[in-house]
Structure formats: C-alpha cells, structure tokens
Amino acid sequence: MSEITLTVNEHRFDYVSEIKPERSDNGIIEALTPQQKYRDANSSFIHRYGWGPFCRFSIPTQWIGKSGVYVLCSCNEIMYIGETQDLGTRFNQGYGTISPRNCFDGGQETNCRINTHIRDEVVAGNSVSLFYRETENRAELESELVEHINPPWNREPGENSQAINELHEDTTGYQGKYMPLSEYLQTVDKNQIELSFSEIEEVLGFSLPKSAHKFDAWWSNGSKPHSKAWLEAGWKVTDYSFSNQVVRFNQIQQ
C-alpha cells in the first residue's frame, strides 16, 4: 500500500489511486451520453445532473468490499467527502460507469454529478486523487467532516450559475432564458403545433445549442430549464426530426 496519506481534521486517510478517465485513441477524454440508450427515454424525465457528458473510470479491484469514508482531492483541495459500504463498487459501478437509467428521474443523481465533476476537473488539466479511511462509524465521520470542511462537490451548484438559477425558479412560472418560447406556446390556440429549429431560434432570439441538433435527450420532457419552458406552458414534445429539423408539440391534456 502506498505511504501517501491525507489528514483531515486529525483523521488519517490512505491513498487509493488517481482517478483517470478513459481516453480515445487520440488521447481525448470520452464524452459519454448514455441517456439515448434508455428504452423509456422518450417517456421519462432526465434529472438535473443527467445530461453529462460523462466519462468512464475505475479504481483497483483490491478496494472492493472496503467499508469506510473516502475523500476526493484536486489541486491540494478536498473536493468531496462520502461514505460507502463498498469502495470498489461505489467507484467502479457507481461513479465510474453511468448507466442510461441513472440519468433519469429516480436514478442516482449523485453518481451523475460526481462523474461530471471528475471529468470536468481532468479535462481542465487537473488530477483527481482518491483517499480512504476504514471505519465502522462511517456515517458519523462523513457528517463530521462534511460539516467541518464543506467541500465544494458536497454542495449544490452555486446560485450564480444561470443554469442552476433556472432550475430553482419560483414554481409560479418559468422565468429562464427560454421564456420567449414558453410565452409563444401560450398564445397558440390549437392542440398541436410543429416548429422548425429555425422558427424556435427566431422566437428565442438565439441559436439552439449543438446538443439540440444531435441528442434525443435534449428534447425529452424532463427537468432541464429548456424543457420546463414548454412543460410549464402546458405543452410537451411528442416528436422531432434531426434530419428535417422539426419539433412537434402537443398540448398536455388536463
């Protein structure tokens, strides 16, 4: 075992490994979008952390079955503290491999969130290291350390982020950047409407993101800000075509 250790609030943690996301043949970190593989994708809502992109990684199998508290560090800063009954399974089958189902409501939001944080950190050129302390009082120790350290990945994303602000809007109505689309749909006096991508962009006053032209998940009736724009206006997406660049909306029957 490595002699590298980390001391957190007088508790010693042993070094496990560096988290190294898998890369393509040309050295680029993978950008995985498993949402599209979920069989019920078009009838389920993607949760707020389920969009990715994600990466794939694993830690040495010798850590399977280890119970205790773990710490993720980057740039000499503690980024996340968690507890687990099985460290190897938590990282190799949880954080390190995001299943299509976990991207949707009812899935493991934390797995998606931590995977995305790790990928972003490594893409930025930083290394992420994992430390572990075996203990029977893992829940108590985790609570103590999180309260004392308040690591950034244990918190909800900052309120200054526009995307997160939109996710936490006042529930009386949608108020985000896609509000022009919401307002437009509220003026439609029929039960169904087809809009081209360019027509939607004209309504919005800006271009749709590249993901709207490539990924089925973008058009799911989920919890992301843009989908809240049509859902809270009383509409849902029932069909779309990337080749024809057309979206069909139907009014939600009350």
Side-chain angles (χ1 to χ4, degrees), residues 32-214:
L32 305 176
T33 53
Q35 310 94 332
Q36 303 172 76
K37 298 179 181 179
Y38 185 47
R39 65 180 182 273
D40 296 324
N42 289 332
S43 60
S44 303
F45 292 169
I46 292 179
H47 61 66
R48 56 181 172 169
Y49 303 116
W51 291 85
F54 304 109
C55 61
R56 184 180 292 110
F57 56 82
S58 62
I59 65 173
T61 57
Q62 71 190 66
W63 297 95
I64 293 176
K66 298 289 186 179
S67 174
V69 175
Y70 57 91
V71 176
L72 287 167
C73 296
S74 180
C75 299
N76 296 316
E77 180 182 358
I78 294 174
M79 309 302 290
Y80 186 75
I81 297 173
E83 61 89 12
T84 181
Q85 187 173 352
D86 189 325
L87 185 67
T89 299
R90 171 63 56 87
F91 276 83
N92 294 348
Q93 299 176 23
Y95 298 150
T97 305
I98 302 300
S99 69
R101 174 67 186 90
N102 273 343
C103 299
F104 293 82
D105 283 352
Q108 294 291 333
E109 291 190 10
T110 301
N111 288 355
C112 296
R113 182 166 60 87
I114 299 304
N115 182 291
T116 301
H117 278 314
I118 290 173
R119 184 181 184 279
D120 289 346
E121 197 72 10
V122 178
V123 167
N126 302 320
S127 62
V128 177
S129 297
L130 173 63
F131 294 82
Y132 163 81
R133 177 181 176 85
E134 186 172 9
T135 176
E136 294 180 356
N137 301 317
R138 61 182 192 272
E140 292 86 349
L141 179 57
E142 177 203 33
S143 179
E144 170 196 331
L145 296 181
V146 168
E147 182 177 358
H148 179 75
I149 304 296
N150 191 23
W153 294 356
N154 284 87
R155 309 176 211 141
E156 290 297 312
E159 293 182 356
N160 290 329
S161 165
Q162 180 179 10
I164 298 303
N165 275 342
E166 291 175 351
L167 284 171
H168 294 281
E169 294 288 351
D170 182 356
T171 56
T172 58
Y174 179 75
Q175 300 291 323
K177 65 182 288 188
Y178 289 87
M179 189 174 181
L181 176 59
S182 181
E183 293 176 336
Y184 174 81
L185 289 172
Q186 291 178 57
T187 68
V188 177
D189 59 0
K190 49 189 176 181
N191 295 327
Q192 183 183 99
I193 185 174
E194 283 191 356
L195 296 173
S196 67
F197 286 11
S198 60
E199 287 174 328
I200 293 175
E201 291 173 338
E202 185 175 347
V203 169
L204 292 172
F206 58 86
S207 299
L208 290 169
K210 292 180 180 179
S211 53
H213 295 261
K214 296 169 56 179

Side-chain angles (χ1 to χ4, degrees), residues 233-247:
W235 294 78
K236 64 180 178 180
V237 172
T238 55
D239 198 12
Y240 51 90
S241 169
F242 293 135
S243 58
N244 296 326
Q245 296 200 333
V246 171
V247 184

